[in-house]
Amino acid sequence: MSYIQEIKQILSQARQKTYQAINTAMVEAYWNIGRKIVEEEQNGKERAQYGKEIIKTISIELTREFGKGFSERNIRKYRQFYQTFPEIEIWPTLSAKLNWSHFELIMRVQDEKARMYYLKEASENTWSVRTLDRNISTLYYYRLLSSNDKETIKGKSIPEKNNIHDFIKNPSVLEFLNLSTSLSYTELELEKALIDNLQKFILELGKGFAFVERQQHIKTETADFYIDLVFYNYILKCFVIIELKTHTITHQDIGQLDMYVRMYDDLKKPKEDNPTIGILLCTETDKTIAKYSILNQNNQLFASKYLPFLPTEEQLQDEIERQKLIFKSQHNLEI
């Protein structure tokens, strides 16, 4: 059956070439948009205020003409892209190996030498976006500079290769092509819709709950994290954090929630408060799994004191399934 493998290879290579062509065109378009904005701003009399106005105008017009993906925030990124890499010779050869998400991450690096290092290494070693993000977050460049044993440091960064399936489901590409009904795109919308309604649901059903924040930022010395939903229960005298995943539950998800709970107790919780509760909600095609976690495996405290004030696992499951059905009917999709 070697001919089957050859046919599969033909299709795989064709998809790769298609993605590369789209990605190159997208990166080139964003760079040229940024160049046009900078040139227009430099002609303005009051540059700062004028820049705000043209970005707003561009966002409105592009959204009207081309659909989603052209928020004012994104337009500012295009301008930053040009300002970060004003030399046209730099990025065309890289865009075949790096996608827009790579450039977004690299633009956040303030140090020019570090920025160019990450750009070169990500391109030559075909780092995935996840690998690049991890290396930037853990100050990989600076650890190499300060270490006498550079080979050991390099060995700790295991390159994770790009996968064609990740390319195809890249939200930036989908926005660029105005494909708003694809699975990965609607997953983001589903997640937002679920979080919106869970926030109201828990406030209505849970006893003593007060809403604190969504996408709450927790910062350590080396990384930034964002928690989906944070509540405070004034009866239990503790924080309750909720993480929602639109995929099948994994060990990594459980580990992430455990890390968030420990970080929250270490960085946010007052000494007199009870341990933070973490709730992990994972939606699947056939079922929904709700997992609870608290520090120190204090199951007795959890069972006897916390449960009467929390929505039960069954209630959370039912609410998620109900919201999924509503989302399905509104978007005419199969969830």
Side-chain angles (χ1 to χ4, degrees), residues 196-237:
D196 286 342
N197 288 283
L198 282 170
Q199 177 181 327
K200 300 174 186 176
F201 174 73
I202 289 174
L203 287 174
E204 290 175 359
L205 190 63
K207 299 177 182 178
F209 276 86
F211 176 65
V212 177
E213 194 173 357
R214 64 189 299 169
Q215 292 298 313
Q216 188 176 63
H217 182 205
I218 294 187
K219 185 177 180 64
T220 66
E221 293 180 358
T222 59
D224 296 274
F225 302 94
Y226 297 87
I227 299 174
D228 286 342
L229 287 171
V230 179
F231 296 88
Y232 187 81
N233 191 294
Y234 54 84
I235 298 176
L236 301 174
K237 203 169 177 57

Side-chain angles (χ1 to χ4, degrees), residues 37-54:
I37 294 171
V38 171
E39 290 174 352
E40 184 65 25
E41 283 178 333
Q42 289 174 346
N43 291 328
K45 294 180 181 179
E46 296 180 8
R47 188 174 174 184
Q49 186 61 37
Y50 185 64
K52 290 181 181 179
E53 289 301 318
I54 67 170

Side-chain angles (χ1 to χ4, degrees), residues 76-91:
R76 283 192 291 270
K77 285 184 181 178
Y78 307 156
R79 178 179 62 182
Q80 182 188 0
F81 183 39
Y82 172 77
Q83 291 172 328
T84 305
F85 305 108
E87 301 297 328
I88 195 170
E89 294 82 7
I90 291 179
W91 57 262

Side-chain angles (χ1 to χ4, degrees), residues 9-175:
Q9 187 174 4
I10 290 170
L11 286 175
S12 179
Q13 291 173 348
R15 286 185 172 184
Q16 180 70 40
K17 289 178 181 178
T18 300
Y19 169 75
Q20 289 176 350
I22 294 170
N23 183 66
T24 300
M26 179 173 67
V27 172
E28 180 181 0
Y30 292 166
W31 187 87
N32 279 311
I33 291 171
R35 177 174 59 84
K36 284 290 184 184
I37 294 171
V38 171
E39 290 174 352
E40 184 65 25
E41 283 178 333
Q42 289 174 346
N43 291 328
K45 294 180 181 179
E46 296 180 8
R47 188 174 174 184
Q49 186 61 37
Y50 185 64
K52 290 181 181 179
E53 289 301 318
I54 67 170
I55 285 176
K56 182 178 180 180
T57 301
I58 291 170
S59 174
I60 292 171
E61 291 299 321
L62 291 184
T63 301
R64 181 182 295 131
E65 180 75 17
F66 299 103
K68 296 179 179 179
F70 299 101
S71 64
E72 292 183 40
R73 180 171 177 266
N74 283 344
I75 301 300
R76 283 192 291 270
K77 285 184 181 178
Y78 307 156
R79 178 179 62 182
Q80 182 188 0
F81 183 39
Y82 172 77
Q83 291 172 328
T84 305
F85 305 108
E87 301 297 328
I88 195 170
E89 294 82 7
I90 291 179
W91 57 262
T93 55
L94 300 174
S95 60
K97 297 180 179 179
L98 305 179
N99 62 40
W100 174 242
S101 297
H102 286 99
F103 287 108
E104 284 185 293
L105 284 172
I106 292 171
M107 283 192 296
R108 298 177 192 172
V109 179
Q110 297 298 314
D111 185 332
E112 183 179 358
K113 290 183 179 179
R115 189 164 61 235
M116 297 309 295
Y117 172 82
Y118 290 125
L119 193 66
K120 177 175 177 291
E121 289 294 307
S123 175
E124 291 182 355
N125 296 293
T126 60
W127 285 353
S128 69
V129 173
R130 185 180 301 176
T131 297
L132 175 62
D133 188 23
R134 183 175 66 245
N135 287 340
I136 291 175
S137 299
T138 58
L139 303 177
Y140 181 60
Y141 170 72
Y142 297 103
R143 287 189 291 120
L144 274 177
L145 283 183
S146 61
S147 175
N148 293 324
D149 189 0
K150 292 181 172 52
E151 292 305 315
T152 299
I153 298 294
K154 286 183 177 181
K156 291 180 179 178
S157 176
I158 302 173
E160 183 181 338
K161 301 295 184 181
N162 285 314
N163 186 301
I164 186 62
H165 299 293
D166 295 332
F167 292 154
I168 294 171
K169 295 188 291 184
N170 188 320
S172 297
V173 173
L174 298 172
E175 286 180 347

Side-chain angles (χ1 to χ4, degrees), residues 294-308:
I294 66 169
L295 272 181
N296 302 324
Q297 303 297 316
N298 198 335
N299 296 323
Q300 184 59 37
L301 174 64
F302 179 69
S304 63
K305 184 176 180 181
Y306 285 11
L307 279 179

